[in-house]
Amino acid sequence: MKQGKLIVFSAPSGSGKTTIIQYLLAQQELELGFSISATSREPRGKELDGKDYYFLSLREFKDKIKQNEFLEWEEVYRDNFYGTLKTEIQRIWNTGKHVIFDIDVVGGLDIKKTYPDKTLAVFIKPPSIEELKIRLKKRQTESEDKINMRVAKASTEMATAPQFDAIIINEDLDMAKAEAYQLVKKYLK
């Protein structure tokens, strides 16, 4: 069984990492497969089970933790778990593709520790905390309290940036996409 490489993208919520990852996935020559994370939270907006996330009940999530089914997992907010199922990486490797992750900073660094020689870890940084808050408000998917919680967490997350292999500052989205593409293309060679 050929194992591909792992490309981790982590960032505070609202930094643009999901948009950058969607762009990279559209570049067929990179041969990337998206790692669908599992979560215990409810779907937001038009999110679909098995496409955006594997939506599990809190009990299902905790059972999978006990059965050691996760490569990494974290309780990001109280009773709000996220994780990567081991079967997800195998699913993508079985298709002959490399795995790309849209993942929390703790989870991203955990994957890097588990597969240090197979992982490129990229941190997407917003130009500022103020800009991050503006972007989160524009989404119109969360309450003011949730936005404030995410902004408070962002400072802690940004402090982890130096532990990643590369940092992209997303001030101009097109430039950030191009930089991400070049990083990934070079890593996969």
Side-chain angles (χ1 to χ4, degrees):
M1 166 86 37
K2 182 185 174 220
Q3 290 187 343
K5 291 186 178 178
L6 307 171
I7 296 117
V8 167
F9 276 83
S10 296
S13 263
S15 296
K17 76 176 168 346
T18 303
T19 303
I20 292 168
I21 288 168
Q22 288 169 344
Y23 168 77
L24 293 171
L25 284 164
Q27 311 312 307
Q28 305 265 327
E29 71 279 9
L30 296 177
E31 297 181 315
L32 300 173
F34 181 67
S35 172
I36 302 168
S37 295
T39 184
S40 65
R41 73 160 171 78
E42 293 296 315
R44 285 193 298 243
K46 296 180 180 180
E47 291 177 332
L48 299 173
D49 183 56
K51 178 181 179 286
D52 300 297
Y53 287 94
Y54 296 115
F55 292 101
L56 306 174
S57 69
L58 187 57
R59 169 172 266 175
E60 288 172 316
F61 204 104
K62 288 181 175 181
D63 285 347
K64 288 186 182 300
I65 291 170
K66 285 179 192 163
Q67 294 163 13
N68 196 28
E69 293 183 37
F70 286 101
L71 170 62
E72 60 76 32
W73 63 271
E74 183 190 3
E75 187 174 15
V76 177
Y77 300 105
R78 189 169 184 270
D79 286 341
N80 205 329
F81 289 82
Y82 289 84
T84 303
L85 292 161
K86 293 175 182 176
T87 53
E88 186 62 6
I89 291 171
Q90 207 54 60
R91 176 187 71 81
I92 295 165
W93 280 346
N94 287 347
T95 67
K97 293 185 176 184
H98 304 287
V99 184
I100 190 166
F101 298 87
D102 178 342
I103 194 168
D104 176 87
V105 295
V106 174
L109 291 171
D110 284 348
I111 289 170
K112 179 74 178 174
K113 282 179 202 152
T114 304
Y115 292 102
D117 301 329
K118 285 185 173 285
T119 305
L120 171 67
V122 182
F123 189 90
I124 304 296
K125 202 172 184 181
S128 68
I129 292 287
E130 294 75 31
E131 176 62 22
L132 187 70
K133 191 166 187 171
I134 290 166
R135 290 177 185 179
L136 289 170
K137 283 183 176 185
K138 279 184 185 174
R139 280 184 181 175
Q140 297 182 342
T141 56
E142 295 173 326
S143 68
E144 188 71 24
D145 284 348
K146 279 262 192 191
I147 289 170
N148 289 335
M149 199 164 68
R150 289 190 184 279
V151 169
K153 188 174 186 228
S155 297
T156 306
E157 291 172 322
M158 292 205 308
T160 68
Q163 297 174 51
F164 286 75
D165 299 314
I167 299 170
I168 296 173
I169 299 172
N170 183 14
E171 192 157 0
D172 176 282
L173 185 57
D174 289 332
M175 285 177 60
K177 286 178 183 176
E179 192 176 340
Y181 176 83
Q182 290 304 321
L183 266 172
V184 171
K185 186 177 176 185
K186 183 179 176 185
Y187 180 71
L188 294 177
K189 279 190 175 180

